[in-house]
Amino acid sequence: MQGNAVEVWDKFFATHTPQPIEFHAPFKAIFELKDHEGAIAFLEAAIRHGQGRTWMYEVLPLEMQLAERSTDDIERAMLSRSDFRTVDQSSMMLSAAYLVRFQQLPRALHLYRQASSLNPARPEPYALGLRLAKKLKDNDAVQWAALGILSHVWTTDHQLLHRQAENALLDLEQELSRVGKTAEAKAVAEKMAAAKTHDMQIILRWQGEADLDLIIEEPNGTLCSLQHPQSPAGGVLLHDGMGPRQTETYEEIVYPQALTGTYRIKIQHVWGRVVAKRALLTVTQYKGTDSETTKTQVIALTDEETVVRVQLKQGRRTQPVTISAVPHMARPPVPVRNRSRIVQASAQGRQARDDFLRTRRLAKPGGNRRAGVGYQPVISVIPEGSSLSASAVISADRRYVRMRLTPTFSQVTDVFTFSFLNTGSGN
């Protein structure tokens, strides 16, 4: 039966070139009969004769699995899907997730490593790769993924990911020492220490029911701020704080690898009362190295922004970072507040500020009141399946109509929970 099906479909696709929509009817008939071998013959014949479609490369491994084909055959089918698609980091990540679904973990790990080589600053390959590397007990891959997390992963949950990476490296170092590989264990420890170094760290602290903003103007003219949480110069906004809770009244920006040059640190008093109208600015350069220096200065706040210049002489970054189109940090929409500085010199401005703060307070039992922040959920719809958009243009003499058809085929293969470059946790 299998041989007949192969011959029939080979002959059909050798002499016919069906339109994309014409593939569906015969394949649906085969699928409803649960003829997995017939479905495989249909799909392989279409691909052999240059008439493959994206959905065929996704369905073929599933049919092979149902037909109980060998693991090697299923793996080849899944890898051919990667060859069919455009070779970029996103397609590699999707293909790797597809491989994980079929328990092809070594191949998936290989694709994660390839994806990270295309854009080393993107965190997902390292976070997902570490999970697979530990499951496969691949020490080389564990080292690659853990060092990548420590160097490149700065999402909202980076502290947890960094702790997991450090634990993985410490376990690896201990295992190497136990089997007598002292030199290799020492090399792992040195690499971990190097991965944890920062070219520059900037922290602004204050006290009071207020909000200050930290904006860094970088040597190449770009900015790192609340509106630009990841910058081409290598900066990452780790925390955007506001009062009255003292544990939240700080802003932090880190440069794991920064461009050499002059950085203009701008401090803006957005709203509220700051205790003593003073803030504390701490700048640490070359953190974790023998050249580490820390400078702290008191900033007198005014209605105008305060600017502090810092010179970084030995930044390790030589090229700007490629910023993903997806936002870096998972944060809700900015709370409804006037970020254009409601604090004004006039009495009218101060009254407006106080009225604004009163509208943001929530009553608590016992008469205590504290500032509250409202959040608005943003729901995104991910389309799945087949869709077709069409547009028509009529000629001037009204004799011809030119049609433009754009078919789209999409499928959600798996859903992972991890943090994006510039987006935070995706669920």
Side-chain angles (χ1 to χ4, degrees), residues 359-397:
T359 64
R360 300 182 63 255
R361 292 179 178 171
L362 300 176
K364 291 182 62 181
N368 295 326
R369 305 174 70 88
R370 58 176 296 180
V373 180
Y375 298 102
Q376 177 181 356
V378 177
I379 300 174
S380 298
V381 178
I382 302 176
E384 183 177 15
S386 302
S387 63
L388 177 68
S389 60
S391 59
V393 178
I394 303 175
S395 63
D397 57 6

Side-chain angles (χ1 to χ4, degrees), residues 137-153:
K137 298 182 179 180
D138 185 336
N139 291 342
D140 180 64
V142 166
Q143 190 173 170
W144 156 78
L147 293 175
I149 289 173
L150 294 176
S151 300
H152 302 293
V153 176

Side-chain angles (χ1 to χ4, degrees), residues 202-206 263 265 267 277-284 294-301 306-311:
I202 303 168
I203 301 178
L204 179 69
R205 300 184 184 277
W206 68 94
Y263 291 77
I265 304 174
I267 301 166
K277 295 184 178 181
R278 297 289 188 273
L280 199 65
L281 179 67
T282 302
V283 179
T284 302
T294 300
K295 294 182 180 180
T296 301
Q297 64 182 99
V298 177
I299 304 297
L301 301 176
T306 304
V307 178
V308 177
R309 289 176 173 80
V310 173
Q311 182 72 25

Side-chain angles (χ1 to χ4, degrees), residues 47-84:
I47 293 171
R48 275 197 301 271
H49 291 279
Q51 300 185 46
R53 300 292 184 269
T54 303
W55 65 269
M56 294 182 180
Y57 291 88
E58 297 174 350
V59 173
L60 182 56
L62 294 172
E63 291 292 338
M64 286 184 166
Q65 189 177 45
L66 292 172
E68 299 182 351
R69 289 287 189 91
S70 68
T71 303
D72 291 340
D73 288 343
I74 297 174
E75 184 176 308
R76 278 195 296 270
M78 287 187 290
L79 291 177
S80 64
R81 176 185 183 277
S82 302
D83 296 336
F84 179 79

